[in-house]
Amino acid sequence: MWDKVFLVILVMVLTYISKKIIKREPNRIKFYCYYFIFYIYGIFVSSIVWPFFLFNPKSVKNAQFGANLLKHVTKIYGLQWQLRNGDILAEDRGAVIVSNHQSSLDVLGMFNIWNIIGNLAPVAKKEIFYIWPFGLAAYLAGVVFIDRRNSKGAYQTLQKTTDVMVKNKTKLWLFPEGTRNKCYDKMLPFKKGAFAIAVAAQKPIIPVVFSPYYFINEKKYIFNKGHIVMQCLEPVSTEGLTADDVPELIRRVHSQMEKTYKELTKEIVSSLPSDYPHPIVNM
């Protein structure tokens, strides 16, 4: 008897959720289901590919293969990623890529340009490792996990990747804000890890700025189709710099990226209707 009751309840719940998803009007269930699709697809792909990664564990080639599979979520969302100055990222060299961090969708943008970058080892918070099988697949794909609450330990972990960056011409990708930025008019202060590593390895820093996600409004549960510009700035050399130069290096890169972000925001806003339902339109 109880199995039938459970089945009826399950059908009712699924029916209710389905009706909410297909509705044209924004609603909370539809909004969170859009994010849920990204996570479920990632877990599904990870569960298939991680056994194959065991044949060549921690290889960045594994990561590139996985990215090529995961980037197709873009089609479900109807997102368009536009990379500017991609030739800078395509150059075969070790480097530290730093970008602003607005959403988990930033990772999807990374997936879409992975083939252009080539050898890439993203840096992620260690909590992601425990989301299996995604965390396991990421580990076997060469993702570097750090403990954000232990700055000294995180820095030591990054130091260990320096040889890989130099010898294998691998690029590290970090989000120096350290957490998702909910502000629309400025960037959060940068943590020094990415810059200290770049200086220690004497490798350039490549800033990449994501334009604002105007198509997402968390307060009104809106998740529309959208267009994102990924602006790659000129590399910032660290040759000859020492640890004493890191604070000024951070200030300079932060200033350049924030200026570019504001320019991209103006560009995006100018192309939107005046009544578009996002806070950046009224800034």
Side-chain angles (χ1 to χ4, degrees):
M1 172 184 174
W2 288 110
D3 56 336
K4 293 182 180 179
V5 172
F6 175 77
L7 182 60
V8 171
I9 294 175
L10 179 62
V11 171
M12 291 174 63
V13 171
L14 292 177
T15 302
Y16 176 76
I17 293 176
S18 299
K19 288 181 178 180
K20 287 289 186 178
I21 293 175
I22 62 177
K23 268 190 174 183
R24 298 188 63 179
E25 297 80 10
N27 60 79
R28 181 180 301 187
I29 291 178
K30 183 177 181 180
F31 179 81
Y32 288 113
C33 276
Y34 266 51
Y35 278 106
F36 191 66
I37 289 171
F38 184 26
Y39 301 142
I40 289 299
Y41 183 70
I43 291 173
F44 172 74
V45 171
S46 300
S47 63
I48 294 175
V49 301
W50 77 261
F52 297 97
F53 289 174
L54 290 173
F55 292 102
N56 193 17
K58 307 212 75 174
S59 168
V60 292
K61 297 300 181 184
N62 292 340
Q64 189 169 7
F65 177 75
N68 284 331
L69 296 176
L70 291 168
K71 70 180 182 181
H72 295 294
V73 177
T74 288
K75 299 174 183 177
I76 298 175
Y77 291 142
L79 300 179
Q80 295 181 349
W81 300 92
Q82 178 188 0
L83 176 63
R84 294 177 180 173
N85 297 336
D87 56 311
I88 294 175
L89 289 174
E91 189 170 337
D92 186 23
R93 60 180 170 186
V96 175
I97 302 173
V98 294
S99 66
N100 55 317
H101 191 23
Q102 304 174 84
S103 163
S104 57
L105 293 181
D106 298 336
V107 178
L108 187 54
M110 185 195 304
F111 292 158
N112 275 269
I113 63 173
W114 207 298
N115 284 336
I116 296 174
I117 299 173
N119 292 341
L120 174 64
V123 177
K125 58 184 180 181
K126 73 169 188 177
E127 288 82 0
I128 293 178
F129 172 74
Y130 300 106
I131 305 176
W132 283 36
F134 181 80
L136 175 61
Y139 172 79
L140 294 173
V143 173
V144 180
F145 292 103
I146 60 173
D147 185 355
R148 294 186 304 181
R149 293 170 295 184
N150 182 355
S151 58
K152 184 178 180 180
Y155 180 73
Q156 290 175 345
T157 300
L158 288 174
Q159 275 189 315
K160 295 177 183 178
T161 67
T162 300
D163 288 342
V164 176
M165 179 171 59
V166 175
K167 295 178 181 178
N168 299 340
K169 296 182 179 181
T170 299
K171 301 177 182 72
L172 299 180
W173 187 311
L174 298 95
F175 299 101
E177 289 173 293
T179 188
R180 297 173 192 174
N181 185 5
K182 300 301 181 182
C183 299
Y184 303 118
D185 58 344
K186 63 181 180 179
M187 292 186 184
L188 299 176
F190 286 174
K191 298 182 182 300
K192 69 177 183 179
F195 304 90
I197 290 300
V199 168
Q202 295 289 283
K203 292 298 178 181
I205 293 171
I206 304 178
V208 175
V209 182
F210 286 74
S211 62
Y213 295 152
Y214 66 91
F215 47 89
I216 295 177
N217 189 327
E218 294 185 359
K219 293 183 178 180
K220 296 185 177 181
Y221 303 114
I222 294 174
F223 195 139
N224 294 327
K225 296 179 180 179
H227 170 240
I228 307 95
V229 176
M230 292 177 286
Q231 180 77 49
C232 184
L233 307 185
E234 290 296 322
V236 179
S237 175
T238 63
E239 290 187 13
L241 299 185
T242 67
D244 293 335
D245 299 308
V246 169
E248 172 58 24
L249 178 64
I250 293 174
R251 186 204 63 77
R252 183 152 50 101
V253 174
H254 187 281
S255 177
Q256 291 176 356
M257 292 180 66
E258 190 166 72
K259 178 183 177 182
T260 301
Y261 176 77
K262 290 180 178 179
E263 291 172 350
L264 290 175
T265 299
K266 291 180 180 179
E267 177 184 335
I268 293 295
V269 170
S270 65
S271 66
L272 297 175
S274 58
D275 60 345
Y276 197 90
H278 196 282
I280 65 168
V281 176
N282 300 314
M283 283 173 54

